[in-house]
């Protein structure tokens, strides 16, 4: 795989995001394109990651887990960043849209993070020699995922949409502290997990496949977030329009 | 894999050259009294095989994608369509 | 208070709390209380206090120090702070078959106890992979690749 191909994939992805955000008429099909494109990219990743890429000098074929483990955790971190941006945006200017997007991105971040940690554990067994050890990276990642599970639980147990939106936004800002801790844990403290790879520590063909993996799972991230966002919006409108006990206090921001 | 093993095997003389310093004679390092024989240098530290782990990790990723997509599809019916009473 | 004002105050408060928590963790001395492993020099510096307690020791495997008896899976090697010749070294004994990646020069973390005879006995040997991913070269492992494969430790 030539090194410009992942970049091309990233440009297409950014174009889809822009279309979704800026061109309302495109919202009917962007998620379909993202899902279809993601599937094609995944098929290519299977070939490039499992067949085309060379084995690693010391990890041999086990090193191929790199191409899925890192992209999953990346997608997780991107999702949580979207979440905190929406939380701040909601508190600055109330909008049910940002509240729904915050909910969608948190759930998908937990999904990608949990799968990424599972993959890391599977990878640790043959390389480190153990499935798990409580090193700073693994502790902080576990705490981060539990914080967002708590965030989602808070959201699902809180009935009043206004209270839920405002206080879960505050919780999201607090929870986001865990993200830089996860990122820097391998630098601040002694750890079993290695520090982040950079371009120069990964050989060229492997780097291209790793970036391709990132593009692939970020494309799925887009498709999932759109659909999960629509679900959150539908629930909101039913909660805000159906008059159960109390009349809705606010109008749905359109 | 066979090819890799062959290359590694053929390169053993090279490695013997660069392995610094040569393994000390067992007697020099106070060998364990109960097993003085059979002490050897540990091999080079390259994982052999392990495809099961690769398939498990990639499989978890694929199952996760399908599973999450199904969960979105299932929950779609939970929320009434916009505008429904 | 208007809801908008209240929400903005919530945001301000949350950002302040989050920022100070992060600064406290990043720049405070929490790192000294959160020790995942000791380096050999740190453990030896503890003197007698280090004996007996179950701790983790981390460092690099000293080249040339590895002795392995396959029959009895008795593994002896030295762990050093770094690859420098004068780095503090500790002898480690393990009865476990090491992970396949175990080799001279690689980083390891071992869990066990240090005793008065200056030997660290472990039953949990973990190999610490570096952040490098390299394709194998045609010559197997030439001198340069071998050197580069050594875990970088100061």
């Amino acid at each position: 795989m030539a090194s410009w191909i992942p970049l091309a994939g990233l440009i297409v992805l950014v174009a889809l995001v822009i279309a979704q955000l800026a061109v309302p008429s495109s919202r009917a099909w962007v998620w379909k394109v993202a899902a279809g494109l993601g599937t094609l990219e995944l098929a290519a990743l299977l070939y490039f990651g499992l067949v085309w890429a060379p084995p690693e000098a010391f990890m041999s074929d086990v090193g191929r887990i790199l191409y899925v483990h890192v992209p999953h955790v990346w997608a997780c971190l991107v999702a949580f960043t979207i979440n905190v941006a929406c939380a701040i945006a909601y508190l600055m200017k109330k909008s049910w849209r940002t509240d729904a997007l915050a909910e969608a991105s948190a759930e998908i971040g937990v999904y990608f993070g949990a799968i990424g940690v599972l993959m890391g554990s599977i990878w640790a067994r043959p390389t480190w020699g153990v499935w798990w050890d409580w090193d700073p990276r693994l502790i902080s990642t576990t705490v981060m995922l539990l914080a967002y599970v708590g965030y989602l639980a808070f959201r699902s147990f809180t009935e009043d949409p206004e209270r839920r939106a405002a206080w879960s936004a505050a919780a999201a800002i607090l929870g986001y502290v865990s993200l830089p801790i996860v990122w820097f844990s391998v630098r601040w403290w002694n750890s079993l997990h290695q520090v982040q790879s950079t371009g120069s520590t990964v050989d060229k063909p492997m780097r291209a496949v790793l970036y391709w993996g990132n593009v692939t799972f970020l494309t799925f991230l887009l498709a999932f977030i759109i659909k999960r966002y629509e679900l959150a919006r539908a629930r909101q409108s039913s909660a805000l329009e159906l008059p159960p006990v109390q009349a809705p206090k606010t109008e749905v921001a359109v | 894999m066979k090819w890799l093993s062959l290359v590694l095997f053929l390169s053993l003389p090279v490695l013997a050259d660069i392995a610094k310093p040569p393994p000390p004679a067992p007697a020099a390092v106070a060998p364990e009294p109960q097993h003085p024989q059979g002490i050897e240098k540990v091999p080079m530290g390259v994982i052999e095989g392990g495809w099961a782990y690769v398939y498990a990790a990639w499989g978890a990723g694929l199952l996760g994608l399908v599973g999450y997509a199904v969960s979105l599809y299932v929950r779609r019916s939970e929320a009434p369509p916009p505008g429904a009473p | 208070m208007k809801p908008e004002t209240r929400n903005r105050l919530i945001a301000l408060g949350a950002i302040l709390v989050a920022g100070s928590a992060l600064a406290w963790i990043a720049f405070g001395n929490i790192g000294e209380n959160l020790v995942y492993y000791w380096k050999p020099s740190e453990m030896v510096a503890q003197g007698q206090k280090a004996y007996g307690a179950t701790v983790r020791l981390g460092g690099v495997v000293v080249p040339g120090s590895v002795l392995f008896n396959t029959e009895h899976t008795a593994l002896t090697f030295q762990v050093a702070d770094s690859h420098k010749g004068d780095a503090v070294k500790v002898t480690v004994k393990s009865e476990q078959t090491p992970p396949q990646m175990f080799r001279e020069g690689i980083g390891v973390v071992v869990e066990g106890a240090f005793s008065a005879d200056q030997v660290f006995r472990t039953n949990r040997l973990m190999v610490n992979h570096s952040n490098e991913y390299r394709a194998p070269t045609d010559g197997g492992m030439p001198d340069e690749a071998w050197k580069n494969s050594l875990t970088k430790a100061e």
Side-chain angles (χ1 to χ4, degrees), chain B residues 32 35 40 44-45 47-48, chain C residues 66 68-69 93 100 103:
Chain B
E32 292 293 299
H35 44 76
E40 55 187 62
M44 297 191 335
I47 295 180
E48 286 181 29
Chain C
V66 178
F68 187 47
N69 181 317
K93 280 181 199 272
Q100 286 182 317
R103 64 178 181 273

Side-chain angles (χ1 to χ4, degrees), chain A residues 21-22 40 44 77 83 123 125 185 200 208 210 219 224:
Chain A
L21 292 176
L40 291 178
L77 300 184
N83 173 263
W123 199 5
R125 184 64 188 82
S185 58
S200 61
L210 174 59
T219 308
F224 284 161

Side-chain angles (χ1 to χ4, degrees), chain B residues 3-4 7-8 11 14-15 18 20-21 23-24 29 32 34-35 37-48, chain C residues 63-64 66-72 74-76 93 100-104 136-143 146-147:
Chain B
W3 172 86
L4 181 62
V7 169
L8 293 176
S11 61
V14 182
L15 292 170
I18 61 167
K20 51 179 91 167
V29 211
E32 292 293 299
Q34 62 270 34
H35 44 76
Q37 80 292 12
I39 288 177
E40 55 187 62
K41 239 185 95 194
V42 164
M44 297 191 335
V46 175
I47 295 180
E48 286 181 29
Chain C
V66 178
L67 295 172
F68 187 47
N69 181 317
T70 38
E71 219 172 298
H72 296 85
L75 174 66
T76 307
K93 280 181 199 272
Q100 286 182 317
M101 295 250 296
F102 182 83
R103 64 178 181 273
E104 297 178 344
T137 46
D138 281 346
M141 213 169 28
D143 201 7
W146 186 82
K147 277 187 201 147

